[in-house]
Amino acid sequence: MIEPIAFVAAALDVIALQAEASAPAIPNKAAAALAVGLAAFGAGYAERGIGAAAVGAVAEDDDMFGRGLILTVLPETLVILALVVVFIVPN
């Protein structure tokens, strides 16, 4: 399995090589899709640890359910904000 950081570094190398040309490296819509995808990947990565900690806290104290739910959903707001990019990017 390829490491996520190595994949992103390889993608950035390809984009840097293409940046020397006069045309954009990737189309606008592809860049917006990449931004949303990377935001979703980052939110999922963050929720992995937060969700595990929230389940552990709720297992010990049932009153922690509300806090755990809020902290688990919080990274998803980043994805919602990234979706705004799709509507802002020109055709």
Side-chain angles (χ1 to χ4, degrees), residues 40-51 71-72 75 78:
F41 179 78
Y45 188 78
E47 285 179 19
R48 179 184 66 162
I50 295 170
L71 291 175
T72 303
L78 297 174

Side-chain angles (χ1 to χ4, degrees), residues 1 4-6 8 12 15 17 25 28 34 36 39 53 64-65 72 78 85 91:
M1 182 174 162
I5 295 174
V8 172
L12 290 176
I15 291 171
L17 289 174
N28 291 343
L34 184 64
V36 173
M64 298 294 288
F65 178 76
T72 303
L78 297 174
V85 172
N91 290 332

Side-chain angles (χ1 to χ4, degrees), residues 45-74:
Y45 188 78
E47 285 179 19
R48 179 184 66 162
I50 295 170
V55 168
V58 171
E60 290 188 14
D61 185 9
D62 289 339
D63 294 336
M64 298 294 288
F65 178 76
R67 288 183 186 171
L69 182 66
I70 290 171
L71 291 175
T72 303
V73 175
L74 196 61

